[in-house]
Amino acid sequence: MTMRVCFGAWFVAVAWLAQTTVAVDAVRTEKNVVYLPPDRAELADLYLPPKFEAGKKHPGVLIIHGGGWTGGKRDAAREINIGTTLASHGYVCMSIDYLLHNPQSEKPCWPQNLHDCKTAVRWMLANADRLHLDSAHIGVIGGSAGGHLASMVGVTQPQDGLDPSGPYAQQPCAVNCVVDLYGPVDFTDSKDIAAMRKTRAESPELYRAFSVLTYLDKNDPPFLILHGTADTTVPVSQSELLAAGLKRYGVAHQLEIVEGAPHTFHLQPKEKDLRPIVLEFFNKYLKP
């Protein structure tokens, strides 16, 4: 009996993996997509389902890379892994570059980096027909600094004053759900951050405005939070703070602690395959 059950579980797992591998190979991509005004150099990549069927709409997911707000790129290994995984399961995905901190530039990256992320949501909505996008169902996912920005896209609202004035101002910036991979959420008691251009002692209000926890309320979308116990860059306590804050306001959320996982991982770290968890979450909130 035990052998039969184990063989059955093995067969299901192998069948699921084979199906996923075939689908990932068939994912379509569009590189170097312009989504910001002409004076901006940052671009986006699209990951699209293997084919579009007439009359069928697909939910969308915005992918935001990490890099400490100073580095990173839209087509790093993690972002490719996320984009191909989700597109192979019927999602229209957009992985973006956004304004990074540059000490040689006079322009601060905050809050322009968040504006860029919100503009990407608007761009997806403005191009919904071309993308066969279900504009009523859009999520966001990001890792590390991208997890922070993904969370900020989810929890900030027009009254917070962080929506960009344009382009595509006629489109909303709101998303239906958020997947946060080991993103920091509270900077009110943190070390100084280069991207802020000021120390916390010099401008505590700036660090408060940069903190996800500042904006939590009962209207926030559902969250899936993923964090590894071996993370020495962003403490697991940051994700626990976010989960506690969401619980306080009655917001649906799931905190998944990955034993032994380091700071940076995609959806298939050696410690645990996270694809079923992430797909189940997005399917629940983005596929009616």
Side-chain angles (χ1 to χ4, degrees):
M1 177 66 71
T2 301
M3 182 179 297
R4 185 176 301 171
V5 171
C6 290
F7 178 78
W10 173 85
F11 180 81
V12 169
V14 169
W16 183 87
L17 180 60
Q19 179 183 3
T20 300
T21 302
V22 171
V24 166
D25 291 341
V27 164
R28 295 176 296 137
T29 59
E30 290 186 22
K31 301 289 187 180
N32 305 317
V33 175
V34 175
Y35 80 100
L36 292 170
D39 62 333
R40 296 290 301 279
E42 295 84 359
L43 299 170
D45 292 340
L46 296 175
Y47 297 85
L48 306 173
K51 64 178 180 178
F52 287 142
E53 298 177 11
K56 183 177 180 180
K57 300 289 187 179
H58 298 265
V61 176
L62 173 64
I63 304 169
I64 307 175
H65 72 75
W69 310 279
T70 64
K73 55 183 182 178
R74 69 185 185 277
D75 55 354
R78 173 180 52 203
E79 286 63 43
I80 293 173
N81 173 266
I82 293 171
T84 53
T85 297
L86 296 179
S88 71
H89 285 81
Y91 289 89
V92 169
C93 300
M94 180 178 184
S95 183
I96 63 167
D97 287 332
Y98 52 86
L99 186 66
L100 300 174
H101 170 62
N102 179 1
Q104 311 306 126
S105 171
E106 296 182 359
K107 183 176 179 61
C109 70
W110 170 261
Q112 186 61 55
N113 47 15
L114 178 59
H115 289 174
D116 292 348
C117 296
K118 287 173 174 271
T119 296
V121 174
R122 288 176 169 175
W123 185 93
M124 293 178 76
L125 293 172
N127 289 272
D129 288 344
R130 179 174 85 82
L131 299 175
H132 293 249
L133 179 71
D134 176 0
S135 57
H137 295 92
I138 295 183
V140 61
I141 183 172
S144 194
H148 162 261
L149 290 171
S151 296
M152 291 293 278
V153 170
V155 303
T156 54
Q157 302 169 35
Q159 61 266 29
D160 296 314
L162 290 171
D163 285 3
S165 58
Y168 316 108
Q170 71 277 15
Q171 302 289 350
C173 303
V175 294
N176 299 87
C177 58
V178 179
V179 176
D180 166 25
L181 287 82
Y182 41 86
V185 297
D186 181 21
F187 301 96
T188 58
D189 192 27
S190 73
K191 63 182 181 180
D192 295 335
I193 301 169
M196 293 292 94
R197 295 178 176 247
K198 293 183 179 180
T199 67
R200 186 165 55 86
E202 289 173 332
S203 187
E205 69 280 1
L206 178 64
Y207 282 69
R208 183 177 183 277
F210 197 54
S211 299
V212 175
L213 299 187
T214 299
Y215 306 96
L216 297 185
D217 64 29
K218 63 182 179 63
N219 299 312
D220 293 332
F223 269 72
L224 171 62
I225 310 164
L226 306 169
H227 212 128
T229 60
D231 193 333
T232 58
T233 302
V234 177
V236 176
S237 59
Q238 288 285 298
S239 287
E240 292 171 340
L241 280 172
L242 176 57
L246 294 169
K247 181 179 180 180
R248 188 179 312 119
Y249 287 103
V251 177
H253 66 281
Q254 177 183 347
L255 174 60
E256 185 75 22
I257 302 298
V258 185
E259 191 65 34
H263 175 62
T264 299
F265 55 80
H266 48 46
L267 302 187
Q268 296 167 261
K270 64 180 182 180
E271 293 80 10
K272 184 175 185 177
D273 188 347
L274 300 172
R275 290 175 297 176
I277 296 172
V278 172
L279 286 167
E280 180 182 13
F281 177 81
F282 276 140
N283 288 346
K284 179 177 181 179
Y285 293 106
L286 298 183
K287 290 187 176 181

